[in-house]
């Protein structure tokens, strides 16, 4: 657009002054002294031609340092103004930026501006201080302005924090309310509590399992109850056993063919001991019987008397002092369900104590019969108990709650046998004892006379009769009459073939039961019998006779 005009030197092609005065950013170039430039007809400014001036010699060097290109002479030199000096076509640019975005051929690159420290929000930004002229003293620092109202549209700083009048929203989501924040806090607390409980439970489980598996930490000290008084109530099992054990003995019997072990108890301070006949039977006439007391002392014993029909025997020890007799009770006072204690030496285990109750009374049993001629069969109207009784208990006492003897343990019903015996079978809770009332009578007879008497009716029974009741036989065992002439039955009117069905009002189902019921009485006792004859029922009364036992 400058076509047809003379070529003029542009303002940006002028050599720039060097030094502090020329490096002030944002300041306009200093104009030479003289009249202000006046635009020409083309609208461009031209500087007035300077007048000739004298340059001192001392300033030549300074002019050379400041970038002057005029020639100097050693003496004062008169510099003639040039015919024509370049004039700028535009107003001076305070930033020295060339027009049209392109630098001139000799112009340096524009200076880089670095951001200065941004003052705190709300603080007025002081205006920049122009650089002082070369050689001039630095002005004192301006005091900081007082806090003023922020003016965001002035002195914009891209690195300054923008003022905020409301909470920031990073993603545009709604700001949670106070209740929502409270609920969120509660959920976090609940979650933390659950996690803490789970961790605590897991740690506790691991520690507990370790302690259970390894028995805890440290040495093991087992808990133990403190010492208690040894005394027990008199009617307790322990109290009964404590009073009865000193009177119980263990018998070891040996003979020429067999030997065995049984139990007995002291009857008096003379050394008489009551036991079962089948306990001392192996000794025979030349065997040996050894008695061991609860204290551990032992003594030899001899047989005073025995009876197979009652299965009772009395032996005696001599030279033994301090014996404790057993107190005898009354078996007629016993009721079903009463507590009882049995003491014996099952399988040679001396001083064994068991307990139970009376299961039944007047239970007719028979035991023995190994000889084959029924001479050793015992008939007992027994007491039944569930107190454990085993082989070796035979002859031992059956005690009531007062530690009184109410029976003599004699037989058991075992699971592998249908017979009552004293063999090696174990107890199944069916034990039988001879009532002490019968034992007392027999023991007294054995001690006083050496023999026991049996009450008899004076008839021979048909033991093969399968009907209900006990039938009188046709002939006696020796071929004589079945009803003994002049005997109790003959006197009462009993005839051969009669069937006895009741004794003192109690039903009789067999010949064995009739014998048991009769043996439960003493000779001379009166009985009332009910019998059937030719389809008729008769009632008779008789007095029991006596016969010597074996």
């Amino acid at each position: 657009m400058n076509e047809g005009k003379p070529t003029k030197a542009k303002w940006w092609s002028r050599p720039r002054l060097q030094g502090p005065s020329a490096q002030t950013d944002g300041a306009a170039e200093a104009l030479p002294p003289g009249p202000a430039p006046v635009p020409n007809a083309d609208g461009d400014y031209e500087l007035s031609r300077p007048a000739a001036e004298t340059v001192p010699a001392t300033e030549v060097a300074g002019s050379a340092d400041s970038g002057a290109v005029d020639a100097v002479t050693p003496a004062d030199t008169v510099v003639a103004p040039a015919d024509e000096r370049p004039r700028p076509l535009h107003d001076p640019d305070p930033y020295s930026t060339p027009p049209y975005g392109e630098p001139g051929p000799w112009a340096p690159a524009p200076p880089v501006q670095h951001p200065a420290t941004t003052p705190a929000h709300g603080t007025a930004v002081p205006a920049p201080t122009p650089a002082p002229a070369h050689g001039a003293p630095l002005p004192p620092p301006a005091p900081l302005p007082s806090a003023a109202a922020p003016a965001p549209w002035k002195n914009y700083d891209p690195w300054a924090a923008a003022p905020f009048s409301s909470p920031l929203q990073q993603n545009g989501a709604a700001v949670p309310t106070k209740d929502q924040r409270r609920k969120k806090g509660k959920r976090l607390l609940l979650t933390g509590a659950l996690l803490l409980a789970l961790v605590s439970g897991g740690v506790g489980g691991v520690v507990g399992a370790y302690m259970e598996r390894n028995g805890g930490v440290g040495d093991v000290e087992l808990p133990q109850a403190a010492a208690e008084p040894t005394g027990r109530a008199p009617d307790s099992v322990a109290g009964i056993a404590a009073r009865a054990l000193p009177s119980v003995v263990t018998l070891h019997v040996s003979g020429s063919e067999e030997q065995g072990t049984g139990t007995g108890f002291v009857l008096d301070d003379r050394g008489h001991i009551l036991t079962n006949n089948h306990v001392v039977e192996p000794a025979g006439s030349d065997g040996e019987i050894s008695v061991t007391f609860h204290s551990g002392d032992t003594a030899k014993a001899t047989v005073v008397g025995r009876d197979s029909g009652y299965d009772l025997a009395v032996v005696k020890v001599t030279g033994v002092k301090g014996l404790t007799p057993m107190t005898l009770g009354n078996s007629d006072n016993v009721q079903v369900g009463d507590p009882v204690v049995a003491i014996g030496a099952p399988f040679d285990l001396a001083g064994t104590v068991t307990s139970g109750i009376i299961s039944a009374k007047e239970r007719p049993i028979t035991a023995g019969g190994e000889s084959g001629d029924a001479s050793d069969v015992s008939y007992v109207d027994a007491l039944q108990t569930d107190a454990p009784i085993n082989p070796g208990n035979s002859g031992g006492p059956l005690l009531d709650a007062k530690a009184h003897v109410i029976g003599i343990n004699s037989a058991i019903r075992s699971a592998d046998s249908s017979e009552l015996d004293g063999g090696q079978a174990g107890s199944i809770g069916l034990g039988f004892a001879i009532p002490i009332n019968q034992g007392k009578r027999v023991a007294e007879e054995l001690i006083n006379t050496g023999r026991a008497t049996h009450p008899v009716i004076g008839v021979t029974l048909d033991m093969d009769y399968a009907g209900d009741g006990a039938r009188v036989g046709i002939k006696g065992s020796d071929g004589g009459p079945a009803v003994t002439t002049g005997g109790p039955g003959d006197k009462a009117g009993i005839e051969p073939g009669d069937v006895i069905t009741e004794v003192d009002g109690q039903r009789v189902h067999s010949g064995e039961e009739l014998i048991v019921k009769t043996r439960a009485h003493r000779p001379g006792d009166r009985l009332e019998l009910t019998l059937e004859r030719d389809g008729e029922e008769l009632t008779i009364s008789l007095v029991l006779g006596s016969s010597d036992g074996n």
Side-chain angles (χ1 to χ4, degrees), residues 253-352:
V253 181
S254 60
S256 58
E257 297 181 358
E258 54 183 333
Q259 60 185 8
T261 302
T263 308
F265 56 92
V266 177
L267 292 174
D268 55 28
D269 55 3
R270 298 181 182 182
H272 293 105
I273 297 172
L274 182 62
T275 186
N276 283 134
N277 176 69
H278 71 265
V279 171
V280 300
E281 188 175 15
S285 59
D286 57 354
E288 183 177 306
I289 301 174
S290 175
V291 177
T292 302
F293 294 90
H294 183 66
S295 62
D297 298 334
T298 61
K300 299 297 182 180
T302 58
V303 177
V304 174
R306 62 192 184 93
D307 187 274
S308 61
Y310 291 112
D311 194 19
L312 291 173
V314 175
V315 298
K316 184 178 181 181
V317 294
T318 57
V320 179
K321 297 181 180 180
L323 296 177
T324 304
M326 183 78 72
T327 302
L328 304 182
N330 190 335
S331 56
D332 290 341
N333 298 333
V334 176
Q335 299 297 323
V336 175
D338 285 349
V340 291
V341 174
I343 301 178
F347 301 99
D348 203 14
L349 299 174
T352 299

Side-chain angles (χ1 to χ4, degrees), residues 7-26:
T7 302
K8 300 179 181 180
K10 302 301 178 177
W11 63 270
W12 59 77
S13 63
R14 290 185 296 116
R16 301 183 64 183
L17 297 178
Q18 303 295 325
S21 63
Q23 297 177 356
T24 302
D25 294 340

Side-chain angles (χ1 to χ4, degrees), residues 235-453:
D235 58 347
S236 66
V237 174
I240 295 170
R243 287 184 288 172
L245 281 171
S247 302
V248 180
V249 300
T250 302
L251 286 78
H252 295 88
V253 181
S254 60
S256 58
E257 297 181 358
E258 54 183 333
Q259 60 185 8
T261 302
T263 308
F265 56 92
V266 177
L267 292 174
D268 55 28
D269 55 3
R270 298 181 182 182
H272 293 105
I273 297 172
L274 182 62
T275 186
N276 283 134
N277 176 69
H278 71 265
V279 171
V280 300
E281 188 175 15
S285 59
D286 57 354
E288 183 177 306
I289 301 174
S290 175
V291 177
T292 302
F293 294 90
H294 183 66
S295 62
D297 298 334
T298 61
K300 299 297 182 180
T302 58
V303 177
V304 174
R306 62 192 184 93
D307 187 274
S308 61
Y310 291 112
D311 194 19
L312 291 173
V314 175
V315 298
K316 184 178 181 181
V317 294
T318 57
V320 179
K321 297 181 180 180
L323 296 177
T324 304
M326 183 78 72
T327 302
L328 304 182
N330 190 335
S331 56
D332 290 341
N333 298 333
V334 176
Q335 299 297 323
V336 175
D338 285 349
V340 291
V341 174
I343 301 178
F347 301 99
D348 203 14
L349 299 174
T352 299
V353 178
T354 59
S355 63
I357 62 170
I358 294 296
S359 302
K361 294 175 60 178
E362 300 177 354
R363 185 74 76 188
I365 64 170
T366 58
E370 287 81 3
S371 62
D373 57 359
S375 61
D376 59 344
V377 176
S378 59
Y379 300 91
V380 179
D381 197 20
L383 297 173
Q384 180 181 332
T385 179
D386 66 347
I389 297 175
N390 293 283
N393 279 93
S394 295
L398 184 67
L399 308 169
D400 61 9
K402 297 180 180 179
H404 296 166
V405 181
I406 59 173
I408 302 99
N409 301 321
S410 300
I412 61 172
R413 176 78 69 178
S414 58
D416 57 351
S417 175
S418 60
E419 299 295 333
L420 292 169
D421 55 26
Q424 297 300 310
S427 172
I428 60 173
L430 294 175
F432 302 95
I434 300 171
I436 193 59
N437 289 4
Q438 182 175 341
K440 176 180 178 294
R441 180 183 66 83
V442 174
E444 291 173 345
E445 292 181 349
L446 293 176
I447 293 173
N448 294 327
T449 65
R451 301 180 67 89
T453 58

